[in-house]
C-alpha cells in the first residue's frame, strides 16, 4: 500500500483563487527549476512536506555533512498573484505511487485555495537543436489549450503522452472539477536545463499576467550553454550522468 | 494497494438478461476494436468510467490540445439485444491490478444486469498467413464451448493461456455463478487488426442471434490490408511500433 | 495489497493429528506430482480452493474448450493416516504474495487439524547424473532433521536456501508452534520429474509409516527416462520449454 | 501492503537514554558485522524478531539440517552504555518495504528507550586500495556531523546517497525528533569486510566514549586479508559470489 506522511511546517490561511503550479523533477529538471525560481523570486513560504513510501528508499548526502530527505514540498506565494507551488527532489517509483501522490497533491492544493492547475515539464528532443526551443501546451479541454496559443505555445502532433505528476495532476484536477494545463518546454534532456525552464516560465507569466525577473535563470542558462559548447567540441562528456542534481543555486 | 476510482456518468436502470462483453486493449487491439464497433453501431451509452492506480501513470495528448485519461468505460446497449460493453484505452500493469479490475468489472456488469459474459481478444500468429484467420473459443464449461462450434469456431490445441481481462473475467464470471466465453481471433498481432475484430464479431452476432453492419470495419480492414501488402513488398515497416494507437475512426 | 479469495468446496469435520503436506509447483514439479499422487492414491477430497491476486493474471485453456483457473487447493485424506494435502497449478509472483499465501495456508491447515508439516520440492542439479538422485532434509529444528537420517536422507552442505512455499511454510509452521520438515529430491530440473517425486514420497511414507503404490509414478518415470535417453543421444531437445505443464495424467 | 510480524522474545524494561544502533546487511556486510560484534562483546539480549512480507521469500538451510528464517532482530545492551542494536540477515526488497520497516524499527527503538540513532554501513570503493580506508559521516544536522570530525571521520564530497535502512533510519529518527548519524566505512565491497567493521566501530566507540575489544574482529580481518592477497596474486577469484554469507563466526 502507498503510504503518505504529511508534515505540516506552518499553519496557513487558504489562499483565494490561487493557481496550483507543479514543478517536480523530470526530463531536464525543467519543471523543478521553474518551480524553484518562482519560489525564490516571489518568497514562497513552505507550508508542508510530503513523504511517501514509494519514493526512492534513500537520503542524499550534502557537502556539509547533513542529509537531505526525499520528499515533495508545498509552498504558498501571495504576490504578484496567489500561487501554490509544488516542488521537491523526487517522484514516486511505481504507478500506484504516482497516482496516489498526484491525487493527494491536488486535494491539498484545493484545500490551500487552488481553482486552476498548471503542470510544468520538459519534452526531450535528444540533441542540441539549431533553432529556438518550443513550448507545447495540453489542457483538460481543447478550448483552454486553444486560449494559450496567443502566448506562443504549440500543440503536439506526436500522439504522445505526459508521464508522471505533470500528466496525472491534469487528470485529478479534472476529476475534482478544476481546469488544468500542462506546459512542456523542449529540452535536450540530458542536462539540467534552465533555458527550457525560462521558456516555460515565460509562457506561464504571460498566461497568468504577472512579471518576473529571469536574470538568475539566464545566468545559469549561460553557464550551461558554455558547457554544451564544450560538449559539442569534445563530444567526450556526452554521456554525463543523467541524475546531475546540482541545483544548489536554486535552493 | 490497488485503488479504483469509479465515476458515474449517468444514472441507469439495470438491463434485463444482458450480455456482458469485454473488449479492452490487447494483441492486435482486436477486442477493443470489436467493442468500439458495437458501441458505435448500436448507440451504446456511457454510464461509468473506471480509473485505477495500476493503469499507466500518464495521460495521452490529443491533436486538438486536449488530453485523454487512461481508463476503462462501461456502455449500455438496449437494442438489438441488451448488452453491457466494457472498453477503454488500457489494462492494469500488475497482476494484482489485473485481478482487482477484472473482479470489479464483473461485479459492476452483474449490477447492470449481466447474466452471461463474452470476452473478446486476439491470438497472435506472428506472420501474415496464406489462409483465412480462425476464431477460437474457450468457455467456463466444455459444454458451452462445444455449443459454439456451430458458429465456425475451433478449440485451441496449444495448452496455452488467456492473459489479462479476457481470461480473468471468465474466472470471476464463474466465481459469481455466471457462464462466460472467450472468443479469440487469429491476428498477425503487430498491427491494429480490424479484420480479426470483424471475425470475432461475426461469431458473436451468430451466437447471440443479432445482425450488424460490418461496412465500417471492412473499410478499415481494407486500408490495413493495403498497408500490409506494402509491408510484404518492402519489409521495411515490419517493425512498426506495437502501441500503434490510431483508433480515432472507432471513437 | 495481497487479496485471497477462498472458495469452500465442501463442509468438513477437522481431522485429528493430521499431517499438512505441501506440493505446489516448483523445480521439476516434484512437489506437485508427489501431492497429486497422494491425492489420487488415497482418494483425497477437495475442501477448498484459494485464489490470489498475486497469482499469474491468466487462465489456462484445456483441450476440451474449457478453462482452468490459477489456484491452490486443499484436499483431505483420512486413510492410511490423516493428511491435509495442498496442491495447485501456481505460486504467487511477488514476495508479499508468497508470504501471505504461505501464512494463510498454514493457518487453514491448522484449522483442518494439522499438527505437523511436510513441504515437498526439488533441488535442481542441472544435468543428468550417473548415480542415484538423493533426497535432502531440512527442518525447523536440527533434532527433527536428524531423526530423518534413518530414512535415507542427507543434509545439504551448500548454505543454500529453500524458495517459495516450501521454505516459507516451514517458517509459518514454526511461528505457529508446529514442527515442519522440507524434503527436497535432486532433479534435473528442466523436465517434469516423476522419479524425483517417487524418491520424495518414498522418504515421506517411511517417515509417516504408511505404505503406498508407486506403480503409476514409476510408469510415468519410465516414460520420462526414455525421453531423457533420447535427449542424451540427440541433445537437440535439451532446451525444451521450462513450463512444460502436461500433468494431465496426474489430474 | 507491507505486513510486519513482530515476535516478542522477552519482556523488557525500556532502557534510559539509549543509543539505537542499526547494522543490517549491506555492502561488505560492514554494518551487520559491526552490530554482531557489539552484541557478542557486550552480551546483547534478543528482545524481538521482526518478520516482513517484503523480505526475500525463502529460508536459509544450516549445515546441521535446521533452517534460518529471514528477519531483523532487536538486542538490548546495558553495559558499558545502554544500546539498542538492530541486526538481521536481510533488508526489504521493495521501496515500500524499506520505508515501512525503517519507520517501524525507529518507533520500536524509541519505545525501548532510544534518544539518539547511529546507522552503520559500508561505502564501496571497488578495488583494493593502497592506503588506509576512511570512515565518512553524515548526520541529520551539519552541527552533529561536524562534532564527529574529532573522531577521525570525513565528509563525503560525491553528492551521493545512503541507500536502505542506513539512510531511511536517519530520516525517521529526525521525523520523530531525535538526532541520527550514519558512519560509513570504505570497503572493497565484494567480500565480507571485518576490517571496515572495525574502522566503523572504532569511531563509534570514540563518539560514545566506551572501550571494546577488537581481537576477534582483527583475527577475522587478518583471515580475509590473507584471502585478498591471494586474490591479488591470482586474480582468479576476483569474481567471487557477492552474497558470501559465511558469518557463522559472528553468530
Amino acid at each position: 500500500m502507498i503510504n503518505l506522511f504529511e508534515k505540516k511546517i506552518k499553519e496557513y490561511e487558504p489562499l483565494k483563487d490561487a493557481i496550483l503550479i507543479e514543478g517536480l523533477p523530470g526530463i531536464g529538471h525543467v519543471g523543478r527549476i521553474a518551480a524553484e525560481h518562482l519560489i525564490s523570486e516571489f518568497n514562497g513560504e513552505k507550508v508542508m512536506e510530503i513523504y511517501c513510501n514509494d519514493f526512492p528508499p534513500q537520503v542524499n548526502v550534502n557537502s556539509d555533512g547533513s542529509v537531505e530527505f526525499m520528499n515533495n514540498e508545498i509552498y504558498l506565494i501571495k504576490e504578484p498573484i496567489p500561487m501554490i507551488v509544488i516542488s521537491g527532489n523526487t517522484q514516486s517509483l511505481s504507478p500506484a505511487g504516482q497516482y496516489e501522490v498526484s491525487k493527494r497533491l491536488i486535494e491539498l492544493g484545493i484545500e490551500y485555495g487552488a481553482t486552476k492547475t498548471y503542470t510544468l515539464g520538459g519534452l526531450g528532443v535528444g540533441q542540441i537543436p539549431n533553432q529556438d526551443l518550443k513550448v507545447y501546451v495540453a489542457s483538460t479541454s481543447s478550448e483552454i489549450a486553444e486560449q494559450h496559443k496567443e502566448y506562443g505555445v504549440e500543440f503536439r502532433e506526436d500522439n504522445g503522452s505526459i508521464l508522471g505528476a505533470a500528466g496525472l495532476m491534469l487528470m485529478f484536477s479534472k476529476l475534482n472539477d478544476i481546469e488544468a494545463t500542462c506546459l512542456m518546454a523542449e529540452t535536450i534532456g540530458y542536462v539540467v536545463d534552465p533555458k527550457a525552464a525560462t521558456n516555460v516560465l515565460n509562457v506561464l507569466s504571460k498566461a497568468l499576467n504577472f512579471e518576473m525577473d529571469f536574470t538568475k535563470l539566464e545566468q545559469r542558462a549561460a553557464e550551461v550553454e558554455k558547457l554544451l559548447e564544450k560538449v559539442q567540441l569534445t563530444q567526450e562528456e556526452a554521456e554525463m550522468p543523467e541524475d546531475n542534481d546540482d541545483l544548489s543555486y536554486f535552493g
Side-chain angles (χ1 to χ4, degrees), chain A:
Chain A
M1 193 199 299
I2 303 303
N3 274 327
L4 299 175
F5 315 98
E6 297 169 10
K7 187 178 171 192
K8 235 174 223 177
I9 303 298
K10 202 174 166 136
E11 285 302 316
Y12 67 97
E13 192 75 17
L15 302 175
K16 280 210 156 179
D17 278 338
I19 308 299
L20 179 61
I21 297 167
E22 174 271 338
L24 291 169
I27 191 160
H29 280 270
V30 175
R32 182 183 181 183
I33 297 172
E36 290 180 347
H37 190 66
L38 283 169
I39 293 163
S40 163
E41 288 294 312
F42 297 138
N43 303 308
E45 198 165 13
K46 181 156 73 169
V47 292
M48 188 177 278
E49 294 169 356
I50 292 110
Y51 299 84
C52 176
N53 67 4
D54 193 50
F55 288 165
Q58 63 181 60
V59 300
N60 295 336
V61 179
N62 299 321
S63 53
D64 67 352
S66 67
V67 290
E68 177 191 71
F69 306 148
M70 309 308 288
N71 65 19
N72 289 180
E73 301 179 331
I74 301 180
Y75 291 81
L76 299 194
I77 288 170
K78 291 188 178 161
E79 299 287 343
I81 60 164
M83 295 187 245
I84 298 148
V85 182
I86 291 168
S87 191
N89 55 9
T90 192
Q91 289 203 31
S92 284
L93 296 171
S94 80
Q98 287 280 357
Y99 272 89
E100 297 298 333
V101 172
S102 291
K103 181 164 175 278
R104 185 62 187 145
L105 289 174
I106 290 296
E107 289 168 2
L108 287 168
I110 290 172
E111 285 177 27
Y112 280 104
T115 54
K116 195 185 283 192
T117 300
Y118 278 88
T119 67
L120 311 179
L123 190 67
V125 294
Q127 56 179 333
I128 303 168
N130 295 315
Q131 61 199 40
D132 275 1
L133 291 163
K134 294 172 186 166
V135 177
Y136 295 98
V137 69
S139 297
T140 45
S141 78
S142 60
E143 293 74 25
I144 306 277
E146 196 71 38
Q147 287 167 20
H148 284 78
K149 280 197 164 165
E150 65 176 292
Y151 312 121
V153 297
E154 302 191 13
F155 286 2
R156 285 168 62 176
E157 288 173 356
D158 59 355
N159 281 315
S161 302
I162 306 172
L163 305 180
L168 293 178
M169 287 176 71
L170 301 185
M171 183 178 107
F172 284 112
S173 291
K174 186 65 179 174
L175 292 178
N176 281 281
D177 297 314
I178 69 176
E179 294 292 342
T181 295
C182 177
L183 300 174
M184 293 153 277
E186 284 188 334
T187 174
I188 306 167
Y190 60 86
V191 289
V192 171
D193 192 344
K195 182 76 181 67
T198 307
N199 292 346
V200 109
L201 283 177
N202 199 26
V203 173
L204 186 74
S205 63
K206 285 181 194 158
L208 296 177
N209 197 25
F210 64 78
E211 299 204 342
M212 77 184 303
D213 184 353
F214 292 109
T215 315
K216 285 188 195 165
L217 270 185
E218 282 161 359
Q219 284 169 356
R220 180 76 170 155
E223 289 166 27
V224 173
E225 262 176 49
K226 265 187 221 158
L227 177 67
L228 289 182
E229 276 167 28
K230 280 195 212 161
V231 172
Q232 278 183 310
L233 288 174
T234 69
Q235 286 298 338
E236 280 178 354
E237 290 150 305
E239 294 184 307
M240 58 183 62
E242 283 178 50
D243 54 351
N244 183 330
D245 214 331
D246 177 14
L247 296 171
S248 52
Y249 166 79
F250 300 96

